[in-house]
Amino acid sequence: MIYHNKLTEYRLHIPPKMWQEFRQNMLDCRDINEEVIGFFFCNRHQISKKKIRYIPKAWIVPFPDCYEMQSTSGLVLTQQFHSYLLEKYVKQGLHVIHIHTHVGDIAPEFSSVDDYYESEYSRFLTQNFKRKPRLISGVFNQSLQKSKFRIWNRKGNNFDNVIFSNSYLEMIDIDAETVTEHQDTPTIQHYGIINPTQPALDSQNQMFTRQKIFGETCQKQLNQLKVSLIGCGGIGSIFAELLGRLGVKNWVLIDPDKLETVNLNRMPGATQKMIEQRWNKVHYVKHLIKKIYQTGSCVHAIPTQIDCEIASSEIATSDLIVVATDNHLSRKIAQELALEYMRPLVCLGTHIDINPSDNKPRMFCRITIPPLGGGWCLMCGNIISLQKAAVESAPMQINQMVAKAGYIDGVNDPAVFWLNSICASTAVGVIHGMVSGFLNLSAGIDWIYEFPRAVWHQTNTKHLETPSCYFCSHSDDLEPPTEEFSIESDFEIIDYW
């Protein structure tokens, strides 16, 4: 069998929570020393000419009664179950990710039997389905800890390797050898003491010497991270500068607004001259980042709404989506894009009102990160209002009618710099924990800070889970067929699955 080595990079990213559920089902559906198989069904996302992602939309692990044969020597699915998979998932245009185990705990290799049947099955998919879905196969050891993945071409005569990740952020693990060229430069050792025998750092590395306690890998990942920031106002601008100073150099900035005098109390470095020159907020935030990195940064400023095609396509290629807007519609669209492209979403906001019990101001800031891969989202978690999002998306005449009826306040919400700073800095800390791994975000978080009580409230995210959510639920996709299920199929069934 030919390994087809070309420059295209293929990626498969399965979020931690989804992978944990899939893996546990795989382990539960077998006896000792039995092989087991499971399936993901994915959309294809062309990130660039030479980079392709496969995004899981559903997964399924067959019950023992779905097999005609299940042993150490091989696996054969019943024709009825195989037909179910073809009709429900493959016929809808989803690509097939086939995962199976080999007995033992050593690093697995594809066998000659795997080669033969996978080659046949890739041809079967091409010949029987109009959209010609691709086959990605993965082999694991029996504990599902070590793996190899490959993607077959449609003729079934060659394949390419696939980069598999089940971490929260889809970032390649950085091998120690990739940073050996910098091993002779000073590093922080023994809790911050610099080894004086090593030569001086270049200015870019020296900038982060006091962050070395978090590890070289964490810093390199921060430098490589690509962040889409939707909303470059009072919270977004502070957030961008703080995260930029942590080491993030690659940005997509989206905001249609220009700087106004009312922004000066909340946006660091903004000046009256910028307002007179009618600077876009995205260009102002780009200016902040470029002041940190005169070279080596990449900032794409897009002065449009989030639903603009160019904005949506750039968001889809990002590693992380952050929304810091003051309306419900943009947050809804950001959540939909995050779900579609399986990207982490961070939602930031503040609120100030008068406490009716004592007639004094009270202030809140909120950091919300829904779980990657579903469970709950901004919509079913009631973080945003779909009703308000619908009004905001309506034509201007409708908005004016609603405002006259008393449903919309004519004055923007109150805001102050220091409250925005608490929100932005906490979000940067959470993202630092996300990248370095000292925070577990697989179930999502919803944190609310209340002042002057100086209390952090942490929502129990179990209460936010909504299995029937229209936007984020995959519950229908995860149901295996019952014994009574039957399906008529035009497909010729082959013995492998």
Side-chain angles (χ1 to χ4, degrees), residues 50-244:
K50 294 294 183 179
K51 189 173 181 181
I52 298 170
R53 289 178 76 223
Y54 285 87
I55 304 169
K57 294 299 177 183
W59 63 265
I60 194 164
V61 174
F63 289 151
D65 59 3
C66 296
Y67 293 98
E68 284 186 7
M69 181 186 77
Q70 182 184 19
S71 68
T72 58
S73 60
L75 300 160
V76 178
L77 292 176
T78 65
Q79 290 192 3
Q80 180 186 15
F81 184 75
H82 185 215
S83 296
Y84 166 79
L85 297 180
L86 297 177
E87 292 288 344
K88 186 169 180 63
Y89 302 110
V90 183
K91 202 171 182 181
Q92 309 311 313
L94 296 176
H95 300 271
V96 179
I97 314 296
H98 168 259
I99 292 174
H100 68 287
T101 59
H102 284 180
V103 174
D105 278 322
I106 62 173
E109 296 288 344
F110 289 102
S111 67
S112 57
V113 175
D114 295 333
D115 291 343
Y116 175 77
Y117 282 109
E118 289 175 13
S119 172
E120 289 290 308
Y121 202 76
S122 61
R123 284 196 291 270
F124 166 79
L125 293 174
T126 299
Q127 294 166 2
N128 287 277
F129 296 92
K130 189 186 238 180
R131 299 185 186 180
K132 303 185 186 306
R134 298 291 293 272
L135 171 65
I136 294 177
S137 59
V139 59
F140 279 79
N141 62 351
Q142 65 182 18
S143 61
L144 282 103
Q145 298 285 358
K146 302 171 185 175
S147 66
K148 282 191 174 180
F149 278 82
R150 60 187 180 183
I151 181 169
W152 288 83
N153 74 349
R154 291 183 171 90
K155 293 181 180 179
N157 58 9
N158 57 40
F159 55 82
D160 291 289
N161 288 332
V162 175
I163 299 169
F164 169 67
S165 169
N166 59 6
S167 59
Y168 194 83
L169 277 170
E170 185 188 5
M171 303 185 73
I172 302 172
D173 291 334
I174 300 171
D175 190 272
E177 294 179 1
T178 64
V179 293
T180 51
E181 59 182 303
H182 300 297
Q183 291 297 312
D184 292 332
T185 59
T187 57
I188 298 298
Q189 300 169 351
H190 306 299
Y191 301 98
I193 301 173
I194 299 179
N195 186 339
T197 64
Q198 296 175 333
L201 286 166
D202 60 70
S203 60
Q204 194 83 176
N205 286 334
Q206 194 172 23
M207 178 177 174
F208 303 112
T209 55
R210 297 183 70 172
Q211 295 176 193
K212 292 291 180 67
I213 191 172
F214 298 102
E216 293 280 358
T217 297
C218 175
Q219 195 58 53
K220 189 148 190 174
Q221 288 179 332
L222 285 167
N223 295 157
Q224 295 172 346
L225 191 69
K226 182 179 178 181
V227 177
S228 280
L229 174 60
I230 303 145
C232 295
I235 300 175
S237 59
I238 301 170
F239 169 85
E241 179 156 19
L242 291 172
L243 193 61

Side-chain angles (χ1 to χ4, degrees), residues 17-72:
K17 187 178 179 183
M18 184 182 290
W19 175 252
Q20 289 160 12
E21 292 172 352
F22 175 84
R23 179 177 178 272
Q24 191 58 53
N25 274 268
M26 290 275 281
L27 295 173
D28 290 344
C29 287
R30 67 156 190 212
D31 291 328
I32 297 174
N33 290 334
E34 275 187 339
E35 293 189 4
V36 64
I37 58 177
F39 299 90
F40 285 90
F41 298 93
C42 299
N43 280 335
R44 179 181 183 272
H45 176 209
Q46 183 97 33
I47 296 176
S48 64
K49 188 175 180 180
K50 294 294 183 179
K51 189 173 181 181
I52 298 170
R53 289 178 76 223
Y54 285 87
I55 304 169
K57 294 299 177 183
W59 63 265
I60 194 164
V61 174
F63 289 151
D65 59 3
C66 296
Y67 293 98
E68 284 186 7
M69 181 186 77
Q70 182 184 19
S71 68
T72 58

Side-chain angles (χ1 to χ4, degrees), residues 157-399:
N157 58 9
N158 57 40
F159 55 82
D160 291 289
N161 288 332
V162 175
I163 299 169
F164 169 67
S165 169
N166 59 6
S167 59
Y168 194 83
L169 277 170
E170 185 188 5
M171 303 185 73
I172 302 172
D173 291 334
I174 300 171
D175 190 272
E177 294 179 1
T178 64
V179 293
T180 51
E181 59 182 303
H182 300 297
Q183 291 297 312
D184 292 332
T185 59
T187 57
I188 298 298
Q189 300 169 351
H190 306 299
Y191 301 98
I193 301 173
I194 299 179
N195 186 339
T197 64
Q198 296 175 333
L201 286 166
D202 60 70
S203 60
Q204 194 83 176
N205 286 334
Q206 194 172 23
M207 178 177 174
F208 303 112
T209 55
R210 297 183 70 172
Q211 295 176 193
K212 292 291 180 67
I213 191 172
F214 298 102
E216 293 280 358
T217 297
C218 175
Q219 195 58 53
K220 189 148 190 174
Q221 288 179 332
L222 285 167
N223 295 157
Q224 295 172 346
L225 191 69
K226 182 179 178 181
V227 177
S228 280
L229 174 60
I230 303 145
C232 295
I235 300 175
S237 59
I238 301 170
F239 169 85
E241 179 156 19
L242 291 172
L243 193 61
R245 293 192 183 279
L246 191 64
V248 174
K249 305 175 182 179
N250 303 301
W251 293 84
V252 176
L253 307 174
I254 300 166
D255 194 314
D257 295 338
K258 295 182 182 295
L259 286 175
E260 298 176 346
T261 302
V262 72
N263 302 135
L264 291 180
N265 74 317
R266 290 166 291 117
M267 301 177 73
T271 65
Q272 187 63 41
K273 187 174 180 180
M274 292 177 180
I275 294 166
E276 292 167 0
Q277 294 175 343
R278 297 185 56 76
W279 277 41
N280 292 100
K281 288 182 178 178
V282 290
H283 295 135
Y284 150 73
V285 173
K286 180 176 181 177
H287 170 73
L288 293 179
I289 296 167
K290 290 296 184 179
K291 282 176 67 178
I292 304 169
Y293 305 107
Q294 294 184 4
T295 60
S297 64
C298 179
V299 185
H300 191 182
I302 307 174
T304 65
Q305 301 283 359
I306 184 177
D307 54 0
C308 170
E309 185 176 347
I310 187 171
S312 299
S313 62
E314 284 291 331
I315 290 170
T317 66
S318 300
D319 301 307
L320 178 67
I321 303 169
V322 179
V323 58
T325 58
D326 58 2
N327 66 81
H328 294 258
L329 178 61
S330 58
R331 294 168 186 254
K332 173 180 175 289
I333 295 172
Q335 176 68 91
E336 290 174 329
L337 289 170
L339 288 167
E340 181 179 357
Y341 295 105
M342 201 70 76
R343 295 301 196 191
L345 174 69
V346 179
C347 182
L348 310 178
T350 61
H351 176 73
I352 302 175
D353 65 13
I354 300 298
N355 190 335
S357 65
D358 57 13
N359 207 34
K360 292 181 180 179
R362 58 182 179 183
M363 289 137 277
F364 304 88
C365 69
R366 190 173 198 173
I367 298 96
T368 305
I369 304 180
L372 194 60
W376 59 271
C377 64
L378 297 183
M379 284 75 91
C380 64
N382 291 320
I383 314 299
I384 61 173
S385 165
L386 290 175
Q387 183 180 13
K388 290 182 179 178
V391 170
E392 290 165 358
S393 67
M396 183 62 69
Q397 299 93 320
I398 301 296
N399 267 277

